[in-house]
Amino acid sequence: GEDVEQSLFLSVREGDSSVINCTYTDSSSTYLYWYKQEPGAGLQLLTYIFSNMDMKQDQRLTVLLNKKDKHLSLRIADTQTGDSAIYFCAGYSGGYQKVTFGTGTKLQVIP
Amino acid sequence: DTGVSQNPRHKITKRGQNVTFRCDPISEHNRLYWYRQTLGQGPEFLTYFQNEAQLEKSRLLSDRFSAERPKGSFSTLEIQRTEQGDSAMYLCASSPLTGMGETQYFGPGTRLLVL
């Protein structure tokens, strides 16, 4: 099955850019996702990228995919205190009918 | 439709008791998933339904766990003879059968505490 790894913690100052990184093992992953989870809440889908894309931009969010290195990143421009949450990277490989999640990166935004 | 809903949001029970959680997916979504999330971890897949058929079960789903989706709409997850290790957040998600990947929409979760 797929393994998805993320760094555990990131701290940035309000207004700076945040970059959250993720590596995955299954080269057949067709979709890769970023989810946000606030304390005590479920997961909110932020964005996703199809494996034949290198980049996707959605307002303040930029997703970069390096398929050769199996590396995915999420850049949040002009990070706000409301962006403080845990961010999960996840991959879908089609045949397994399920999505595999990383352990999450806790983003702390310092005012 | 405001999204995936789950009930109850919180459940405290004593070890050995049975508990049942309910999930109501987004109405037009054919696929429904249950995940378990423990503190500091990402969600772990438990089981998956396409309409009323349970198509996949994780080895995490011991025989004390059973899930149903009798009419292809809402689903229930029952845990019998609960153990302290069952304490976790139980998340439900749904997705449409569109062939556009497994873009899953999550409910708020049911937090279970087994004393």
Side-chain angles (χ1 to χ4, degrees), chain A residues 8 30-31 33 35 37 40-45 48 88 92 95-104, chain B residues 9 31 33 35 37 40-43 45 48 56 89 91 99-108 111:
Chain A
L8 292 179
T30 51
Y31 284 86
Y33 303 87
Y35 283 86
Q37 187 176 38
L43 278 73
Q44 174 194 353
L45 177 65
Y48 66 92
F88 291 95
Y92 167 69
Y96 299 101
Q97 300 294 341
K98 64 180 173 73
V99 173
T100 301
F101 287 83
T103 52
Chain B
R9 294 291 310 277
R31 293 177 168 169
Y33 307 80
Y35 290 85
Q37 185 180 24
Q41 299 296 317
F45 170 78
Y48 154 68
E56 189 171 349
M89 173 83 92
L91 294 163
M100 293 294 291
E102 290 295 325
T103 303
Q104 299 178 17
Y105 298 86
F106 281 79
R111 185 169 295 281

